Amino acid sequence: MDKIRIRGGRALSGEIAISGAKNAALPLMAAGLLTDDRLILTNVPRLHDIKTMRLLLSQHGITVEPVDAEGRMLSLGGTISNTRAPYDIVKEMRASILVLGPLMARAGEAQVSLPGGCDIGSRPIDLHLKGLEQMGAKFRLEGGYVHGQAPQGLKGATIVLPFASVGATENIILAATLAKGTTVLANAAQEPEITDLCDCLVAMGARIAGIGGGTVTIEGVATLHGATHAIVADRIETGTYACAAAITGGEVFLRHARLDHLGAVVRALTEIGVEVSPGEGGVRVRRLAGLRGVDIITEPYPGFPTDMQAQFMAVLSVADGASMVTETIFENRFQHVAELRRLGARINVHGTSAIVRGVGQLSGAQVLATDLRAGFCLILAGLAARGDTVIDGLHHLDRGYEALEQKLAACGADIERLSR
Ligand code: UD1
């Protein structure tokens, strides 16, 4: 398996083009199940998860062409010929569960392998199922699969999510577009990727009000048609490269980045001594002087994203003073701590909080990426560390960061992929 080697100590300087958001692309691809027509997505990132979703959609009878050189992807639409989402694909990518809502809405049935736990927590799907049950679906669990039936079709309902789950919000919205009547979804998640999904669904003929807010109202329509939609810039990739500028004491211009999607991350960066300012067609990030510690707590959007927690902790590990990082979204999302310690970081975990005491200098070591964001946390630490850092477990990183070595190397990082 491939590894990445980084020789740390270089301040990053230059421009990085931010890709389309993985977490927007996946539900948008699932929306292709809702129509007979062609759905064209542009600004699609070239990532392993995108290939996995293509494979899954092809099992359902929907052909999706590979991403072309311009980042365009064509979903041909058509009739759903198979409603089974098999274990072998779902176990590779939990976001496979996003086909459940569209399959139930379009075909009136689905058999989706129950996603297991993952490295960051148990991640149940009860909120997805309860929401769809309120719309008339019946589910039973058999042989590791969730078997769903809605012989009379789905009906609009008033659904209050007990927690603003991103995936449950997306599944319910996707299903409600073709349900009979009106669905009111309260305490909906408000992540920008959900707004992006709704914008595309509206372009496909869906009737959705309250987009981007905590209460979304969807009036079901009989059919959806094709559309062309440009995927929103990845706010997590943006925040990650902002952290790269911060930890190396550099300055980068993040082309296509959306400052309006980064509020909580920008506030935290500003507090630790990093300047983030709008530029033409992107965002400029510059470390002003030494870094200072800050306390952060992860929350649903617009709070500080859990998907930025690991990367920000890497930066805090070299900031002056103590910082407290509290994780409220996932129960087991501190696996990067043990690896950061191998590079010399001083971090103690107490339940859902980690106390980070900044050290002057990290030193390179061999480490293992345990999940996608933990993997980039180690890259960031490696960029700042003295000597060589070798990161194993690259399959996690390839799921979610497009061309990361090229993007970092173009800004002066000494980084290479070692293939075995
Ligand atoms: C999405 C993102 C992921 C991000 C997460 C939180 C995608 C493809 N993935 O994941 O990168 O880290 O949002 O911002 O967009 N929960 C339940 N029952 C449910 C659903 C969720 O208890 O039915 C719990 C989960 O276990 C977790 C929390 O709610 O502890 C957040 O999950 P959710 O918002 O659903 O995240 P995902 O959609 O899985």
Side-chain angles (χ1 to χ4, degrees):
M1 229 185 305
D2 290 0
K3 297 180 181 182
I4 278 182
R5 184 201 54 77
I6 296 172
R7 185 154 298 157
R10 294 189 178 193
L12 291 196
S13 165
E15 178 172 320
I16 294 176
I18 298 302
S19 300
K22 167 180 86 76
N23 287 352
L26 296 172
L28 284 163
M29 289 174 74
L33 286 166
L34 293 170
T35 178
D36 276 339
D37 287 351
R38 294 149 62 101
L39 175 64
I40 298 170
L41 298 175
T42 63
N43 200 28
V44 182
R46 283 171 202 77
L47 296 169
H48 197 263
D49 274 6
I50 301 292
K51 283 192 197 151
T52 307
M53 189 56 120
R54 275 185 58 222
L55 180 66
L56 179 58
L57 295 176
S58 73
Q59 305 268 323
H60 299 311
I62 301 294
T63 302
V64 183
E65 293 183 349
V67 187
D68 72 12
E70 275 78 50
R72 264 169 51 106
M73 178 188 261
L74 171 65
S75 166
L76 294 177
T79 312
I80 291 168
S81 55
N82 172 14
T83 52
R84 188 175 170 90
Y87 172 75
D88 282 343
I89 300 181
V90 177
K91 80 171 181 349
E92 289 298 315
M93 186 182 70
R94 293 185 44 83
S96 302
I97 192 64
L98 294 171
V99 300
L100 180 64
L103 289 175
M104 292 301 297
R106 188 96 190 283
E109 60 160 58
Q111 307 82 45
V112 178
S113 174
L114 192 65
C118 72
D119 290 338
I120 60 175
S122 62
R123 299 181 82 171
I125 56 160
D126 54 317
L127 304 177
H128 303 235
L129 301 183
K130 275 185 199 140
L132 294 170
E133 271 170 357
Q134 283 181 265
M135 299 171 73
K138 301 255 179 296
F139 292 105
R140 68 189 160 82
L141 182 69
E142 199 183 299
Y145 280 71
V146 174
H147 294 250
Q149 287 285 334
Q152 321 301 332
L154 296 178
K155 287 184 281 297
T158 295
I159 300 167
V160 183
L161 287 177
F163 173 82
S165 153
V166 173
T169 299
E170 291 167 343
N171 245 332
I172 293 165
I173 291 174
L174 283 160
T177 58
L178 291 181
K180 281 195 202 82
T182 302
T183 299
V184 179
L185 180 61
N187 197 28
Q190 301 177 39
E191 271 69 1
E193 295 77 23
I194 297 168
T195 301
D196 206 37
L197 172 65
C198 289
D199 288 346
C200 177
L201 289 168
V202 167
M204 294 168 72
R207 305 186 63 172
I208 308 178
I211 293 174
T215 300
V216 182
T217 304
I218 308 108
E219 206 183 305
V221 295
T223 55
L224 293 179
H225 51 73
T228 298
H229 178 82
I231 296 175
V232 66
D234 194 321
R235 67 195 165 94
I236 303 299
E237 191 194 24
T238 304
T240 300
Y241 287 118
C243 284
I247 201 167
T248 63
E251 174 168 352
V252 291
F253 181 70
L254 303 174
R255 185 158 298 284
H256 313 308
R258 291 269 303 257
L259 202 49
D260 55 328
H261 292 163
L262 278 172
V265 174
V266 170
R267 279 193 293 283
L269 283 167
T270 307
E271 280 205 44
I272 66 173
V274 177
E275 183 185 74
V276 184
S277 50
E280 203 177 313
V283 171
R284 186 163 299 284
V285 183
R286 181 165 71 109
R287 184 165 111 193
L288 296 173
L291 296 171
R292 301 178 293 274
V294 72
D295 293 348
I296 57 166
I297 175 163
T298 63
E299 286 169 333
Y301 190 84
F304 190 94
T306 175
D307 283 353
M308 280 300 303
Q309 181 256 106
Q311 304 91 307
F312 213 82
M313 192 185 288
V315 180
L316 295 176
S317 74
V318 295
D320 257 3
S323 306
M324 184 158 80
V325 175
T326 303
E327 173 60 53
T328 72
I329 308 293
F330 291 108
E331 69 265 30
N332 188 26
R333 208 170 195 182
F334 283 137
Q335 283 177 311
H336 43 284
V337 168
E339 302 298 308
L340 280 175
R341 283 204 198 112
R342 290 176 51 74
L343 298 168
R346 288 180 62 206
I347 307 172
N348 289 315
V349 175
H350 303 272
T352 55
S353 292
I355 309 292
V356 186
R357 294 185 175 83
V359 295
Q361 176 75 61
L362 298 172
S363 60
Q366 288 206 1
V367 284
L368 177 68
T370 50
D371 66 71
L372 170 59
R373 309 302 171 186
F376 216 112
C377 150
L378 299 173
I379 290 192
L380 293 171
L383 289 171
R386 190 180 330 115
D388 281 11
T389 296
V390 176
I391 299 154
D392 213 333
L394 281 203
H395 56 286
H396 290 297
L397 280 157
D398 292 336
R399 284 189 40 222
Y401 286 98
E402 183 177 26
L404 74 95
E405 304 101 278
Q406 291 88 329
K407 290 187 185 189
L408 287 170
C411 291
D414 184 346
I415 180 168
E416 65 174 333
R417 186 175 281 245
L418 311 172
S419 298
R420 266 186 267 166

